Amino acid sequence: AELLRLSALDEDQRRIRGAVHHIQEEILTLKCPRPSCRQAFRTFDDCFALTCSRCSCSFCGWCLADCGTDAHAHVRACDKKPAGADLYFGSHDDFQKAMKHRQGRLLKEYLATLDQALRAAVSRSMQENCRDIRPCPSSME
């Protein structure tokens, strides 16, 4: 049924669907940064030195950089950490703000790679999903 539905789409619709899929999977879904893993995650327990539950990769909760086996040194000096933040710890709200900012930056960069018509169509399609992301993707049309 899915193959029939996809084959019924025209080229523009397939391009929009592909771009939306990329945004949902690679920008909006938080994942382990290790290419061999890419396990999605949702939990944050106050320390910005995170560890993947699948592969034990340690990564930064501010920028999601792979830090090998211990992310603490990176977290302490991460350039994405806001001024005045604790060396390692923060609230769930701090984490959500950092991820929304990261997602907004990645979304803006990705949308800039699309032609104007595709960018406008994707922005309209994703408007509901991206409402609380800053910068607002609808401004990219």
Side-chain angles (χ1 to χ4, degrees), residues 93-136:
D93 188 51
D94 293 334
F95 178 73
Q96 290 293 358
K97 285 178 185 175
M99 291 305 98
K100 294 300 179 194
H101 180 75
R102 177 184 175 276
Q103 290 166 332
R105 179 179 47 79
L106 293 174
L107 185 57
K108 184 177 180 180
E109 290 170 5
Y110 177 69
L111 289 173
T113 69
L114 306 178
D115 64 64
Q116 186 175 4
L118 180 56
R119 181 172 53 244
V122 169
S123 293
R124 281 190 301 276
S125 178
M126 294 297 300
Q127 199 164 26
E128 183 67 26
N129 296 60
C130 300
R131 186 179 336 148
D132 58 347
I133 293 175
R134 297 292 178 258
C136 180

Side-chain angles (χ1 to χ4, degrees), residues 60-109:
C60 177
W62 294 110
C63 68
L64 300 188
D66 185 338
C67 300
T69 59
D70 186 359
H72 289 88
H74 175 90
V75 167
R76 189 171 42 247
C78 181
D79 64 352
K80 302 296 184 209
K81 180 169 56 172
D86 186 85
L87 287 179
Y88 305 109
F89 296 97
S91 68
H92 188 264
D93 188 51
D94 293 334
F95 178 73
Q96 290 293 358
K97 285 178 185 175
M99 291 305 98
K100 294 300 179 194
H101 180 75
R102 177 184 175 276
Q103 290 166 332
R105 179 179 47 79
L106 293 174
L107 185 57
K108 184 177 180 180
E109 290 170 5

Side-chain angles (χ1 to χ4, degrees), residues 1-9 14:
E2 180 67 10
L3 288 175
L4 285 174
R5 195 168 65 73
L6 287 173
S7 66
L9 298 176
R14 279 193 290 276

